[in-house]
Amino acid sequence: MRTALISDIHGNLHALDAVMDVIRGLDAGRIFCLGDTVGYGARPSECVARVREACATVLLGNHDAVACGRAPSDGFNPVARAAIEWTRERLSPEEAGWLAKRPLVHEEEGFTLTHATVTRPEAWDYVLSPIDAAVEIDACTAPLLFYGHTHHPYVFTRRGEGADRCRVDVFDPGPEARCMINTGSVGQPRDGNPDACFLLFDEEARRITFHRVPYDIDATQKEILDAGIPRELAMRLSCGR
Ligand code: ZN
């Protein structure tokens, strides 16, 4: 079975459609979405419709939680808050109700999925350091934990007191490895590469491949500006920061 993992679409329909086109050519048996389908971008409803149709499971992200009224926007900076308020006004009650019912954590045979962490999923902590990753890996029964939220496609492998952190295009977890793997972001990459990011997990081959997909950034930026969403959320897409 090949599984595609996407996350942090953030209302970026052009990026999502480009990624879905690539996934269709990869013979993926299923797609999981790790949350933050909305927030920042100008096409939230279309992105919700796409993941509802295409994904076996869609998790709740912190932006989804605020957009659907399940959580307050207290932790958001003014730019993120302006965008999420814009988003909240555009989602239909039915779309918001569907988002509100998304799970925080999902278990599969051999791996676990979450948006931020498994230890305190609704605290929305950012796992960027090996020490924090080790805590999450130790809290999982399954050997592999996939997550999103940071928009940085890191791989952490549990080792000694902490974990080794690396950034690679292809990663082969050994049979005994215990790892925490970030899918990167479809709709707002922050690792200096503006291309949309997702990963494919080939379970038989035990191979994880990160894919980068160019998409129409100019059109996405124009939609954000036309919508009156803060300008910096359009500009950052050009540099992937
Ligand atoms: Zn996000």
Side-chain angles (χ1 to χ4, degrees):
M1 170 83 87
R2 289 173 157 197
T3 301
L5 296 171
I6 62 176
S7 190
D8 294 275
I9 298 157
H10 285 293
N12 186 338
L13 185 65
H14 294 282
L16 178 60
D17 281 347
V19 161
M20 289 299 193
D21 274 351
V22 172
I23 289 174
R24 271 188 282 278
L26 289 173
D27 193 25
R30 57 188 175 175
I31 307 171
F32 292 113
C33 174
L34 308 192
D36 274 3
T37 301
V38 305
Y40 297 138
R43 307 289 293 276
S45 294
E46 294 93 332
C47 291
V48 166
R50 293 283 200 284
V51 298
R52 285 177 83 162
E53 191 194 330
C55 298
T57 296
V58 179
L59 299 186
L60 186 80
N62 53 318
H63 287 256
D64 305 322
V66 175
C68 71
R70 181 164 156 178
S73 63
D74 297 354
F76 280 31
N77 64 45
V79 167
R81 186 171 301 137
I84 211 68
E85 281 166 8
W86 181 94
T87 302
R88 192 171 9 207
E89 287 164 14
R90 265 85 190 166
L91 290 176
S92 72
E94 198 275 333
E95 289 163 343
W98 179 81
L99 277 176
K101 291 197 219 69
R102 294 310 90 212
L104 291 159
V105 176
H106 177 78
E107 308 269 358
E108 284 286 329
E109 180 77 40
F111 60 93
T112 300
L113 309 173
T114 189
H115 184 67
T117 69
V118 287
T119 52
R120 304 192 309 156
E122 273 186 293
W124 310 114
D125 298 324
Y126 289 87
V127 174
L128 288 160
S129 77
I131 288 292
D132 291 341
V135 171
E136 298 302 317
I137 293 167
D138 289 351
C140 272
T141 320
L144 301 180
L145 169 60
F146 293 97
Y147 75 117
H149 193 43
T150 69
H151 303 206
H152 283 274
Y154 284 135
V155 174
F156 295 93
T157 303
R158 186 77 173 88
R159 199 99 64 200
E161 296 293 297
D164 291 342
R165 181 176 65 189
C166 67
R167 183 169 293 178
V168 288
D169 296 332
V170 178
F171 176 68
D172 297 315
E176 306 297 324
R178 297 183 60 78
C179 306
M180 184 172 190
I181 301 137
N182 193 293
T183 64
S185 169
V186 170
Q188 196 197 75
R190 294 179 188 163
D191 61 340
N193 180 346
D195 293 343
C197 187
F198 75 95
L199 69 78
L200 187 77
F201 176 33
D202 185 327
E203 289 166 66
E204 278 80 55
R206 281 191 78 71
R207 168 158 287 196
I208 292 160
T209 307
F210 291 89
H211 290 262
R212 302 308 288 246
V213 184
Y215 69 96
D216 193 341
I217 292 177
D218 291 344
T220 306
Q221 290 174 321
K222 184 172 186 312
E223 288 170 0
I224 290 173
L225 297 174
D226 288 350
I229 294 168
R231 179 179 176 80
E232 44 267 68
L233 294 174
M235 295 305 111
R236 68 185 300 172
L237 298 175
S238 304
C239 48
R241 292 284 182 199

